Amino acid sequence: ETIAPKLSRRQLVVDVTSTKQEICAVADLLDLNGADFIGGHPLFGSQKSGLDASSTVATNGAVFCLTPTSKSSQMSVKRFRRWLEGLGLKPVEASPAAHDKVLARTSHLVQLIAVSLGASIADQNISDNELKLHGPAFKQLARLMESPPEMWLDLFNQNKEELQEAIQDLVKNLNLAAAELSSEAKDELSKMFEKASSISKSSS
């Protein structure tokens, strides 16, 4: 809203926020004076924030999501894709709604799982020496436990409907897993492993 009056034809505005529906809806309503807008989300980074942390971020081959809007000309999208590819990035297009639905599950929920797990372990009063008893999977989640809450709380609020639905789906599967563990048959649990494996292969 602040920069819209200062824009002009042949200019391109791309945001880099982690949720897309809200900002894309605003861009669609604004008069951009002939400029183009493309929603954008670079899917790389670390649990740290600030410019000092940016030098350690590996970008080669990383995904950059584009969410074109009614203010995105095909020419601008094509040129921006080409520019991203020149930087060694992999552009992937999605609608703002599809982006927020998927990211609620592949990013926002993952962060919330890490924080919830860390908080539950902290409640057990496990010693620092005992906490050394972990494998590489926990180490990846532990990295996310260090993320700054200020950024994530805003993201959770911006995408709360999709995140709440994702939480409910996860709780349903966890309850199913708990029920399976108490029985002799493990058919449903095996099916969950198969589904998870297919998602892992598709995402690589």
Side-chain angles (χ1 to χ4, degrees):
E1 293 174 344
T2 302
I3 68 172
K6 303 174 184 179
L7 298 176
S8 60
R9 288 182 62 81
R10 299 184 182 277
Q11 288 187 318
L12 173 62
V13 178
V14 181
D15 80 292
V16 289
T17 56
S18 298
T19 60
K20 300 268 62 81
Q21 291 187 89
E22 186 174 337
I23 194 166
C24 287
V26 170
D28 276 340
L29 293 174
L30 291 174
D31 180 2
L32 303 183
N33 296 318
D36 277 10
F37 172 83
I38 302 174
H41 184 189
L43 293 167
F44 51 85
S46 73
Q47 77 280 11
K48 300 177 181 179
S49 62
L51 284 175
D52 291 340
S54 64
S55 62
T56 61
V57 174
T59 59
N60 195 39
V63 169
F64 192 108
C65 183
L66 285 69
T67 58
T69 71
S70 65
K71 298 293 175 67
S72 310
S73 69
Q74 290 185 352
M75 182 61 71
S76 288
V77 173
K78 184 178 180 179
R79 286 175 174 172
F80 188 56
R81 285 182 65 98
R82 199 159 52 223
W83 184 73
L84 291 172
E85 290 168 350
L87 295 176
L89 297 171
K90 181 180 178 182
V92 174
E93 288 187 38
S95 69
H99 170 280
D100 288 0
K101 179 181 180 69
V102 173
L103 266 291
R105 291 154 177 80
T106 62
S107 176
H108 308 160
L109 180 60
V110 176
Q111 178 64 49
L112 193 55
I113 288 170
V115 171
S116 299
L117 177 62
S120 67
I121 293 174
D123 290 340
Q124 300 302 312
N125 297 315
I126 298 173
S127 70
D128 291 348
N129 185 58
E130 291 169 333
L131 279 175
K132 292 181 173 61
L133 303 174
H134 66 261
F138 178 81
K139 195 168 185 178
Q140 289 294 319
L141 287 175
R143 179 181 68 84
L144 297 178
M145 294 175 193
E146 299 179 22
S147 299
E150 298 82 9
M151 176 185 73
W152 283 102
L153 292 176
D154 281 343
L155 287 178
F156 292 162
N157 185 60
Q158 290 171 23
N159 205 21
K160 58 186 175 184
E161 288 83 8
E162 287 291 354
L163 182 54
Q164 286 170 338
E165 187 175 320
I167 292 171
Q168 292 169 2
D169 290 341
L170 178 63
V171 169
K172 181 179 69 176
N173 279 320
L174 288 174
N175 286 332
L176 179 60
E180 287 284 290
L181 288 173
S182 64
S183 66
E184 291 296 326
K186 300 293 185 291
D187 295 342
E188 291 301 322
L189 202 51
S190 295
K191 289 178 182 177
M192 288 171 62
F193 270 87
E194 290 173 5
K195 289 181 181 179
S197 178
S198 69
I199 290 299
S200 175
K201 292 173 182 175
S202 297
S203 64
S204 60

